[in-house]
Amino acid sequence: MKNLFSIKHIAALFILLISVSSCKDDKDEVAPADLATKVSGKYIFSELEFEGKTVPADESNLKGDIQITKKTATTIDASLNIRSKSTNEEFMVYDVSDIEVSETSGTIDLIYEGEKVARIKGKKIIISATDDSGTDFTLTATR
């Protein structure tokens, strides 16, 4: 009887060792996303800055979003649809393809035809431009 009892213990210990040693490591690393995947998504217009003033979206006459779609690991397509709230007139309505993305010190630059057209910092895309009347402005949209 003592021998049978010992065999049961050894068998249970053996099964326990096999099950513990065959488990996957919980610390398996996940591959980091490429830049294009990292910035892809929908950004909602959040503020406009011009002539030293910052106007939040809810106080402005603008509405809309910027949709970024991954094309390759280092290129994206962007669809901008920023319009007037009151008249629905176009302010920044563009479809742009083959924008390059590159990261520098935590900021992701968007480069189109060799020129930096925007930057992404955290969950915000920031576009600096000049309107038809020559006024410089910065438009920000948040994911």
Side-chain angles (χ1 to χ4, degrees):
M1 189 59 105
K2 287 183 183 179
N3 200 11
L4 184 60
F5 184 71
S6 294
I7 292 174
K8 286 182 184 178
H9 280 101
I10 292 172
L13 182 61
F14 187 139
I15 291 171
L16 179 65
L17 286 174
I18 289 174
S19 65
V20 169
S21 65
S22 67
C23 292
K24 274 187 160 183
D25 187 8
D26 290 339
K27 297 179 182 176
D28 288 343
E29 291 186 27
V30 176
D34 56 65
L35 282 180
T37 300
K38 198 175 185 181
V39 301
S40 292
K42 187 176 193 174
Y43 296 78
I44 307 297
F45 167 67
S46 55
E47 70 181 29
L48 182 68
E49 184 180 335
F50 64 99
E51 297 177 350
K53 299 177 230 169
T54 301
V55 182
D58 59 348
E59 295 176 18
S60 77
N61 189 33
L62 295 177
K63 64 178 181 176
D65 59 62
I66 300 167
Q67 183 70 46
I68 295 180
T69 308
K70 174 183 175 177
K71 191 163 189 177
T72 70
T74 58
T75 61
I76 58 170
D77 292 340
S79 179
L80 291 80
N81 187 17
I82 310 295
R83 297 175 177 270
S84 166
K85 285 181 191 174
S86 58
T87 64
N88 208 36
E89 183 180 330
E90 295 180 357
F91 180 73
M92 288 184 83
V93 178
Y94 302 104
D95 287 318
V96 187
S97 295
D98 300 318
I99 301 169
E100 295 177 39
V101 290
S102 68
E103 187 168 20
T104 311
S105 303
T107 300
I108 299 172
D109 294 328
L110 280 61
I111 302 159
Y112 181 68
E113 296 181 347
E115 184 179 338
K116 181 178 163 183
V117 293
R119 67 186 186 280
I120 296 176
K121 190 160 183 135
K123 294 184 179 226
K124 295 185 177 201
I125 184 168
I126 302 149
I127 302 169
S128 296
T130 305
D131 68 10
D132 293 338
S133 66
T135 303
D136 293 333
F137 67 92
T138 302
L139 183 137
T140 303
T142 307
R143 186 166 20 168

